[in-house]
Amino acid sequence: MAIVLELLSRKNIPLKHFKFEQDYVCVGRDFNNDLRLDDPYICPSHMLVAIDPESGQLLVNDCQSTNGIKVNGKYVNQANLTSNDIIKIGRTRLRVIDTKVPLPVAMPLSELEENLSWLNKISLAFSLVLICLSYLVLSQYINSVEEFKLINILPSQLGQLGMMLIWPLGIATLAKVVKKESHLVNQLNLMLLASLLVFALNLLQKVIIFNIQPDGWFSWLELLVFSAIIVSFTWLSLFIAFHQPDKRRNYITAVISLLILAPILALGFLNDDEFNSRPKYNPTLLAPIYNVTGTITSEGFVDKSQKLFNRVDSLRSE
């Protein structure tokens, strides 16, 4: 039976493992130990981990150390060890690994990960950054009613673009903390693509509102599409950053998506149809560039308005 000890970080993240094909392991700061740990709070000969020849049980013994031994948070002089017990000596944490305990089966390798390899391109990131920045500047230019000066607009648009980078930087940092690859370029490209989809949805909204004045169903459809973008983006972001079971990833995706969408609903994204004596109107003026159905003559507008009044009178009489 081998003795396997795993070196842990302060947050119990595995850093390194040691396997010994022998019945005992001397642990300490001295170079003559089987396992030497460079920790000033560990004695030259701190503890002994051994296999009981009669019972086969793994034991730990304190070699009269200065700071003692903790097993699962409790000081001990001698104790029986089981799988996943955590031993703390000084500021060093070690976990006992039972090699006889079977490991869970491997997670199935998804081909989606291979299909997303095209996201790992710096050239794509530069292109998407330029496209997003161009859209932000052009949108500001189209909606501007004052003299447009690029030098005055550019800093705010760069700031808005910088805010979009918080998510990929945060996810990449978190991945590094748990000893995974950061995939920063992948996360950045994914964020930029999701942003472009939201920009496209916003542009489509303006075009539709300008041309056909949709009813309340359009708000529901817009919310549905926006939710699909958020859920897909969050799921893919977690898929790229962490290797985890689908059930856990789906749960985390649902929680994060709900945290993003709930404020939108709370701030009045969905309006009720109840009568309001003091209705609020949207005074936003849309630029003519959003008009794709063409204009009508003054006579046509008056005729259309008259038909609307006639319809109102008909409803009143009913």
Side-chain angles (χ1 to χ4, degrees):
M1 174 182 174
I3 299 177
V4 180
L5 300 175
E6 193 172 49
L7 181 64
L8 303 176
S9 70
R10 294 184 180 181
K11 296 182 178 180
N12 292 338
I13 298 174
L15 302 177
K16 190 177 182 180
H17 79 277
F18 306 92
K19 184 178 181 180
F20 303 94
E21 298 288 348
Q22 56 196 56
D23 294 337
Y24 63 91
V25 176
C26 297
V27 182
R29 195 160 35 88
D30 193 278
F31 285 93
N32 293 320
N33 289 287
D34 300 304
L35 175 56
R36 180 185 179 273
L37 298 172
D38 188 12
D39 185 337
Y41 300 97
I42 294 178
C43 293
S45 295
H46 199 106
M47 71 175 181
L48 176 69
V49 179
I51 301 174
D52 189 332
E54 297 181 359
S55 64
Q57 179 70 41
L58 197 61
L59 306 173
V60 61
N61 289 280
D62 188 355
C63 300
Q64 298 181 347
S65 63
T66 302
N67 295 308
I69 300 172
K70 280 185 177 181
V71 176
N72 298 328
K74 297 181 179 179
Y75 281 105
V76 297
N77 290 321
Q78 183 180 22
N80 295 332
L81 298 175
T82 57
S83 180
N84 292 325
D85 281 348
I86 296 180
I87 307 170
K88 183 179 180 183
I89 53 176
R91 290 187 174 178
T92 303
R93 305 168 69 87
L94 297 168
R95 178 158 52 199
V96 179
I97 304 297
D98 188 353
T99 55
K100 295 183 296 183
V101 176
L103 295 175
V105 297
M107 294 192 321
L109 182 62
S110 174
E111 293 187 3
L112 179 60
E113 188 170 359
E114 297 296 328
N115 295 333
L116 292 176
S117 59
W118 56 273
L119 284 173
N120 190 25
K121 294 181 179 180
I122 298 180
S123 58
L124 177 62
F126 279 112
S127 300
L128 292 177
V129 167
L130 290 176
I131 294 175
C132 287
L133 184 60
S134 299
Y135 173 85
L136 291 173
V137 173
L138 183 60
S139 178
Q140 187 71 24
Y141 170 74
I142 292 175
N143 298 320
S144 176
V145 295
E146 300 177 353
E147 183 181 2
F148 180 82
K149 293 183 179 180
L150 181 61
I151 193 64
N152 295 334
I153 298 300
L154 196 57
S156 62
Q157 305 309 313
L158 289 174
Q160 186 173 346
L161 188 62
M163 292 291 293
M164 293 161 48
L165 305 183
I166 294 178
W167 175 272
L169 289 174
I171 291 293
T173 302
L174 184 59
K176 291 296 290 184
V177 168
V178 297
K179 302 299 179 181
K180 304 295 183 181
E181 293 185 62
S182 63
H183 295 292
L184 179 58
V185 177
N186 301 59
Q187 295 289 349
L188 176 60
N189 285 330
L190 184 63
M191 181 69 200
L192 293 171
L193 286 173
S195 300
L196 286 175
L197 287 176
V198 174
F199 293 159
L201 178 62
N202 183 52
L203 179 62
L204 182 62
Q205 175 203 35
K206 292 180 179 179
V207 172
I208 292 178
I209 290 177
F210 195 104
N211 292 274
I212 65 175
Q213 297 84 43
D215 296 327
W217 62 266
F218 182 72
S219 296
W220 285 98
L221 179 60
E222 185 182 10
L223 177 62
L224 181 63
V225 176
F226 180 74
S227 301
I229 295 174
I230 294 298
V231 172
S232 301
F233 163 73
T234 306
W235 192 93
L236 287 173
S237 185
L238 295 174
F239 178 82
I240 293 173
F242 310 105
H243 300 289
Q244 54 188 335
D246 289 340
K247 185 177 180 180
R248 180 185 302 175
R249 185 185 303 113
N250 294 339
Y251 174 77
I252 298 175
T253 298
V255 172
I256 295 177
S257 301
L258 185 61
L259 291 175
I260 295 175
L261 295 173
I264 297 177
L265 295 175
L267 291 174
F269 186 88
L270 299 177
N271 299 319
D272 54 38
D273 295 328
E274 296 182 1
F275 174 77
N276 190 344
S277 59
R278 303 181 66 180
K280 296 180 180 179
Y281 298 98
N282 184 2
T284 304
L285 297 177
L286 295 177
I289 194 173
Y290 298 117
N291 182 18
V292 296
T293 57
T295 59
I296 60 176
T297 62
S298 301
E299 293 78 4
F301 177 78
V302 172
D303 183 59
K304 186 176 180 181
S305 301
Q306 186 60 46
K307 291 180 180 179
L308 180 61
F309 286 119
N310 292 338
R311 182 182 176 188
V312 173
D313 292 337
S314 176
L315 292 174
R316 287 177 58 187
S317 61
E318 293 179 359

